[in-house]
């Protein structure tokens, strides 16, 4: 088991957003987490990654408790997080973004891992001298995912990678995520609102409503999103 969450409570200032969430993830598993805006999906990722300090509950990574641990320590241990909007430096080139994201790595490792990103996303290799802010929406999303790969994570948190993209580009980005999982065998927690796209890459699904898990289970590829409406 790569991730175990027990009775997690978290929020902002005096507002409680998560109300005792519990779930687990296996090695190499892709878990889709869906729910309406305001359901608590982003708060969950931030609390797991250490950007928010949980109020109650516990988070375990490979059997060791990491509750509230700082993001830098989590990155060193093999956990990566892509926020909504990718977290890019728009005025820097693709290559410069990759270099900045590889903090703490020596030159040889940085070059090796950037080559790996370019193998996964050949279009970024063609654009490596181009400023990130001038890339298309899909290319920016690929770069955002690429940044999370620079420290060779075994667990990735991706927050709505399809947000704001055209359907054709969403399809491509989801294919990229599935390929990363197939090739690198890492675990991915994918927060999304697009159920049909989640269904293409995830083996398990978690439905969050008002800060609580209302459904969790193995995802049947034949499942229709109307079957989940009763949980919203």
């Amino acid at each position: 088991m790569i991730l175990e969450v027990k009775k997690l409570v978290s929020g902002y200032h005096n507002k409680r957003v998560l109300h005792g969430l519990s779930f687990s993830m296996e090695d190499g598993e892709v878990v889709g987490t869906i729910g309406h805006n305001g359901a608590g999906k982003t708060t969950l990722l931030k609390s797991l990654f250490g950007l928010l300090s949980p109020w109650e509950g516990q988070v375990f990574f490979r059997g060791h408790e990491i509750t509230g641990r700082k993001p830098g320590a989590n990155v060193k241990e093999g956990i990566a997080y892509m926020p909504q909007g990718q977290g890019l430096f728009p005025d820097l080139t693709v290559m410069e973004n990759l270099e900045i994201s590889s903090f703490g790595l020596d030159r040889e490792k940085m070059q090796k891992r950037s080559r790996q990103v370019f193998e996964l996303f050949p279009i970024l290799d063609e654009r490596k001298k181009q400023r990130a802010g001038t890339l298309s929406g899909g290319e920016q999303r690929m770069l955002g995912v690429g940044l999370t790969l620079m420290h060779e994570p075994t667990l990735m948190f991706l927050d709505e990678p399809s947000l704001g993209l055209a359907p054709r580009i969403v399809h491509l980005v989801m294919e990229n995520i599935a390929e990363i999982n197939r090739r690198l065998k890492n675990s991915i927690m994918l927060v999304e609102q697009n159920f049909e796209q989640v269904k293409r890459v995830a083996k398990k699904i978690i439905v969050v409503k008002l800060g609580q898990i209302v459904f969790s289970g193995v995802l049947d590829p034949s499942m229709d999103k109307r079957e989940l409406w009763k949980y919203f």
Side-chain angles (χ1 to χ4, degrees):
M1 186 179 300
I2 194 167
L3 180 70
E4 186 176 14
V5 180
K6 296 182 178 181
K7 298 181 179 179
L8 191 69
V9 177
S10 190
Y12 306 90
H13 305 296
N14 295 321
K15 182 180 180 182
R16 180 177 295 201
V17 177
L18 304 180
H19 303 275
L21 278 67
S22 297
F23 65 91
S24 62
M25 286 180 64
E26 301 295 336
D27 281 331
E29 189 173 46
V30 180
V31 175
T33 305
I34 65 172
H36 290 312
N37 284 334
K41 305 184 302 297
T42 294
T43 302
L44 173 60
L45 293 192
K46 288 182 175 180
S47 299
L48 297 177
F49 188 62
L51 292 169
L52 283 176
S53 183
W55 298 359
E56 300 174 22
Q58 296 172 293
V59 180
F60 296 88
F61 176 64
R62 298 199 179 281
H64 299 286
E65 186 169 5
I66 62 167
T67 313
R69 192 170 69 176
K70 297 299 182 184
N74 287 328
V75 169
K76 290 179 181 178
E77 288 290 315
I79 304 174
Y81 170 61
M82 188 188 83
Q84 288 182 17
Q86 297 94 241
L88 307 179
F89 295 93
D91 293 328
L92 299 182
T93 67
V94 167
M95 194 67 216
E96 288 168 340
N97 269 271
L98 292 173
E99 289 172 350
I100 285 179
S101 71
S102 61
F103 62 91
L105 299 180
D106 59 38
R107 189 72 180 172
E108 183 178 349
K109 286 183 179 179
M110 187 279 293
Q111 291 176 340
K112 175 186 174 184
R113 293 176 189 178
S114 62
R115 284 196 300 269
Q116 184 181 58
V117 171
F118 292 143
E119 287 173 5
L120 286 163
F121 306 110
I123 190 65
L124 295 181
D125 194 13
E126 298 175 19
R127 306 273 197 272
K128 61 185 174 186
K129 294 183 180 180
Q130 186 172 327
R131 287 193 299 115
T134 65
L135 298 174
S136 70
E139 291 163 355
Q140 288 187 18
R141 208 59 49 89
M142 292 175 196
L143 179 55
V145 175
L147 299 184
T148 68
L149 294 173
M150 291 300 287
H151 284 265
E152 294 189 329
T154 55
L155 175 60
M156 299 171 66
F157 299 130
L158 305 180
D159 195 353
E160 299 206 37
S162 74
L163 186 67
L165 299 181
R168 179 179 63 85
I169 304 302
V170 171
H171 184 86
L172 179 59
V173 169
M174 290 299 174
E175 282 187 346
N176 293 148
I177 292 170
E179 177 63 19
I180 288 168
N181 175 250
R182 282 193 298 267
R183 188 181 298 190
L184 305 180
K185 310 299 183 185
N186 48 14
S187 304
I188 300 173
M189 187 168 190
L190 176 65
V191 160
E192 269 292 345
Q193 293 191 54
N194 191 327
F195 172 67
E196 293 302 323
Q197 294 299 333
V198 167
K199 210 166 63 164
R200 295 181 57 242
V201 297
K203 302 299 183 185
K204 180 179 176 182
I205 191 168
I206 294 172
V207 180
V208 180
K209 179 180 179 181
L210 299 177
Q212 296 180 308
I213 293 176
V214 293
F215 175 84
S216 176
V218 175
L219 183 56
D220 183 346
S222 66
M223 181 183 289
D224 190 286
K225 63 182 177 183
R226 287 173 292 187
E227 296 178 43
L228 295 176
W229 284 352
K230 60 187 177 183
Y231 298 108
F232 289 91

